[in-house]
Amino acid sequence: QVQLVESGGGLVQPGGSLRLSCVASGNIRFINAMGWYRQAPEKERELVAGITSGGRTNYVDSVKGRFTISTDNAKNTAYLQMNSLKPEDTAVYFCNMDALLSGTWVAKVYWGRGTQVTVSS
């Protein structure tokens, strides 16, 4: 029914940039919020950045000033622009969506499968 597909991950040197994309498809009626999470080996998954339908954003302290989340509502797509990348940003990045589907009245959370980001020289 609903699918979230991330892209844009890869290997980048410290100080470099990457732009992640997340395309949501399916019978989506309304998206309340989208977000990016990450999980490094042997660590818990953490929220990196989130954005509401009204455009309100929030970031984990470690990425403030370096990462920017945005959306293209017409395309049901979220982006994460990551600049000044550090080795500690290495993780699998997951897209997350809180949305109402057509014919339903209860919002649910959906997840993508993730994209690997590796920051290394």
Side-chain angles (χ1 to χ4, degrees):
Q1 286 187 338
V2 175
Q3 190 175 20
L4 297 179
V5 179
E6 302 100 333
S7 62
L11 173 64
V12 64
Q13 292 186 342
S17 298
L18 284 175
R19 188 192 194 206
L20 305 183
S21 299
C22 170
V23 180
S25 61
N27 53 333
I28 300 167
R29 183 158 66 94
F30 184 77
I31 297 175
N32 292 315
M34 296 189 78
W36 288 95
Y37 286 70
R38 67 186 178 187
Q39 188 165 19
E42 301 182 356
K43 291 189 177 181
E44 294 187 354
R45 189 174 297 189
E46 66 170 350
L47 173 66
V48 177
I51 185 167
T52 67
S53 59
R56 181 178 300 178
T57 59
N58 64 290
Y59 299 90
V60 66
D61 286 346
S62 60
V63 308
K64 286 180 179 177
R66 300 189 297 123
F67 291 10
T68 303
I69 188 171
S70 61
T71 56
D72 183 334
N73 294 329
K75 296 180 180 179
N76 286 344
T77 300
Y79 304 98
L80 186 67
Q81 178 66 43
M82 306 186 293
N83 299 328
S84 302
L85 282 160
K86 303 176 181 180
E88 50 263 44
D89 294 318
T90 296
V92 178
Y93 284 70
F94 297 89
C95 179
N96 164 284
M97 178 181 73
D98 182 304
L100 280 164
L101 303 188
S102 299
T104 69
W105 297 97
V106 178
K108 292 185 178 180
V109 174
Y110 303 89
W111 290 90
R113 293 189 174 185
T115 184
Q116 176 70 46
V117 171
T118 303
V119 185
S120 175
S121 55

